Amino acid sequence: MEIDRELLKGSITLLLLNLLSRGEMYGYEILQAAAVRSAHAFEFKEGTLYPALHQLEKKGHIKAQWRTGDNGRERKYYSLTSKGRKAAQQYQRQWTHLTGAVNAVLESK
Amino acid sequence: MRTADQLIADIVRSSRISSHKRRQELLRELATHVDDFVLLARQAGRGDEEIQRLLVANFGDPQQIAQQFAWVYRRERIMLHLSVFLISTLVVTTVVSAAVMSMQAGMALGFGVPLLSVLGSRHSLIEALDILATVAAYMGLISLEKLFDRRPVARALAVLAASSAVLVAAFAATGMATQFLIFGSVNAVFLRTVQVCLSRSAARLGVVFAGFGVLGVIFFHPPASAVPSALARIAAGSNDSEAIYVSRSPRRHPDASSKPGLLDSRRALPDAGHRRHHFGLQLDRRNPAASLPARRTPGPHVLP
């Protein structure tokens, strides 16, 4: 099912912080992980991932480092900072609260 | 069909990221993404053409992505434009002021007027303020235009108008002169409009010179009656030498009755036993024919 862009927009930050809290990843790897873990629900346009990553990097939530991966290719790896870790937890709490509230309204009779 | 390389180049070029190093890094990062995509697609048995098509389709609209990058790096861009604006304003103001002052110094030397009394006058300060205001407003317009994606000229003009209004209000509230701000803003809008509307340098120069020439004729020429009446006084025989003042400052010349902001001739001052040289026409009684305009004022100002 295709998710509306506006709905997706608010969740990208949480999604990225959550994925990176599991370990460092490079851009393409993040996309694949998001698609696999969401059963291909999150298949957003690939180009939009990078501005979001750069925004998080500027906020100090993630840091980037160029290094050579296992296959010998150089890539830019992103990982969470301590500030980003706290932000990820905070976003997750807010998300749980929000979805709970939205579900409560949707399921109310 | 757009290739992946073109796509990436388009994104980076349109992103308006000010740092060259950062642009290069983004280019490199997006290229590694493309490499990953192509590698996996080839492993899945897709052909090159199909891979390119899929890549472009999956990547999204390059303009939209570029706009997202522009938003992320907006602060750096604003800081850069602000720095360029301040430095260029300072440099251009200094250069133009130096050129104007040099011309005036040359004229002063030629007419035997003390150099310090010309360059150190209030008029010189006003000229410098006029030049500063014009250059600042013009450079401000150019810098502002670079901040807007759509209708940059119109938006920059709107921001300049709003900023000028705020500055004029603030200056007026503190009792400071505001005319040079208005003069600078109007000049900048005129110069930028000429630059936008006319593409040929010769036409631009022609319109600018004609525009300022017309302004000069409207505002700065002394009434025809001024010189003959002064000559008549001199002919009637008064002291040593007399000066006709073309003053802009009612405070400086309390006898002045004309409207502020417009140049006007003044009656000959009886106490003028020495040469008066600022803001006006000088008339040497002993040699009226050699009397020359000491200086023409550049703008319709009233001294604070």
Side-chain angles (χ1 to χ4, degrees):
Chain A
M1 189 174 104
E2 196 169 322
I3 302 172
D4 184 82
R5 234 181 68 193
E6 287 304 310
L7 276 177
L8 193 60
K9 206 186 273 181
S11 59
I12 279 184
T13 303
L14 171 63
L15 196 73
L16 292 177
L17 290 175
N18 186 275
L19 286 170
L20 289 172
S21 68
R22 298 153 200 252
E24 63 173 12
M25 292 184 195
Y26 55 90
Y28 199 75
E29 194 179 4
I30 293 170
L31 280 174
Q32 286 183 313
V36 169
R37 286 173 198 273
S38 68
H40 294 275
F42 284 116
E43 284 187 336
F44 43 84
K45 293 290 183 188
E46 295 173 10
T48 59
L49 168 74
Y50 292 97
L53 284 171
H54 283 228
Q55 179 74 65
L56 286 174
E57 191 185 356
K58 274 179 68 66
K59 280 184 178 174
H61 290 168
I62 62 175
K63 60 185 178 192
Q65 189 186 13
W66 282 93
R67 63 178 180 79
T68 310
D70 299 336
N71 58 359
R73 297 181 60 202
E74 207 180 21
R75 292 192 181 96
K76 192 177 180 181
Y77 283 84
Y78 292 95
S79 58
L80 276 191
T81 60
S82 56
K83 188 181 173 186
R85 209 167 291 283
K86 283 178 198 162
Q89 289 167 356
Q90 204 176 354
Y91 273 121
Q92 196 157 348
R93 278 198 299 273
Q94 287 175 9
W95 182 260
T96 307
H97 183 70
L98 175 71
T99 49
V102 171
N103 285 337
V105 171
L106 294 179
E107 289 161 11
S108 62
K109 293 182 180 176
Chain B
M1 190 182 76
R2 191 201 292 268
T3 65
D5 288 342
Q6 286 172 333
L7 180 87
I8 292 172
D10 278 355
I11 292 171
V12 175
R13 192 172 41 246
S14 308
S15 67
R16 297 191 295 158
I17 296 172
S18 47
S19 159
H20 175 74
K21 189 182 164 194
R22 209 179 279 280
R23 281 199 306 273
Q24 290 304 310
E25 196 181 311
L26 176 61
L27 203 63
R28 191 172 156 206
E29 186 178 16
L30 296 180
T32 60
H33 179 99
V34 169
D35 289 345
D36 282 331
F37 185 92
V38 171
L39 193 71
L40 285 177
R42 280 198 182 130
Q43 283 172 1
R46 297 185 193 277
D48 282 352
E49 201 171 312
E50 190 189 6
I51 291 171
Q52 289 289 331
R53 189 177 50 77
L54 274 175
L55 184 66
V56 171
N58 286 359
F59 218 82
D61 178 14
Q63 286 307 313
Q64 195 182 346
I65 297 165
Q67 274 178 16
Q68 288 172 353
F69 275 117
W71 175 254
V72 171
Y73 291 103
R74 67 193 181 284
R75 280 192 190 150
E76 286 88 340
R77 199 167 60 250
I78 290 169
M79 288 308 291
L80 178 77
H81 289 315
L82 191 64
S83 307
V84 169
F85 162 71
L86 289 174
I87 293 168
S88 52
T89 297
L90 197 68
V91 170
V92 175
T93 302
T94 307
V95 169
V96 175
S97 298
V100 171
M101 300 297 169
S102 305
M103 282 194 291
Q104 290 181 344
M107 288 177 73
L109 287 173
F111 298 139
V113 177
L115 202 60
L116 267 181
S117 60
V118 173
L119 295 183
S121 69
R122 204 175 175 81
H123 178 218
S124 297
L125 175 68
I126 292 172
E127 269 182 346
L129 282 175
D130 283 343
I131 293 168
L132 174 66
T134 302
V135 173
Y138 179 79
M139 299 308 294
L141 265 179
I142 302 274
S143 301
L144 283 169
E145 283 171 26
K146 288 179 183 163
L147 296 181
F148 298 113
D149 292 325
R150 285 178 295 169
R151 301 175 65 199
V153 177
R155 288 182 178 196
L157 283 172
V159 174
L160 177 74
S163 324
S164 300
V166 169
L167 273 176
V168 166
F171 274 51
T174 52
M176 293 162 74
T178 56
Q179 284 85 348
F180 75 95
L181 291 172
I182 298 165
F183 182 75
S185 303
V186 171
N187 269 352
V189 171
F190 169 65
L191 293 172
R192 188 67 187 130
T193 307
V194 168
Q195 198 179 15
V196 168
C197 296
L198 302 173
S199 55
R200 299 182 68 174
S201 301
R204 285 174 180 170
L205 274 176
V207 171
V208 168
F209 279 115
F212 283 111
V214 168
L215 272 181
V217 168
I218 293 171
F219 288 111
F220 307 135
H221 80 98
S225 61
V227 175
S229 70
L231 288 172
R233 282 201 188 97
I234 291 161
S238 57
N239 292 332
D240 214 354
S241 67
E242 295 181 332
I244 296 171
Y245 277 84
V246 179
S247 173
R248 302 187 302 173
S249 170
R251 200 179 298 172
R252 201 172 182 86
H253 302 288
D255 328 3
S257 59
S258 69
K259 283 188 286 184
L262 288 177
L263 289 178
D264 196 4
S265 64
R266 301 286 181 261
R267 63 181 175 79
L269 299 178
D271 62 336
H274 56 278
R275 274 176 171 263
R276 303 288 176 108
H277 48 77
H278 36 253
F279 301 136
L281 293 173
Q282 292 180 354
L283 206 59
D284 190 332
R285 181 178 168 269
R286 289 165 295 196
N287 187 12
S291 298
L292 289 163
R295 286 204 282 165
R296 293 259 171 126
T297 49
H301 303 301
V302 179
L303 291 174

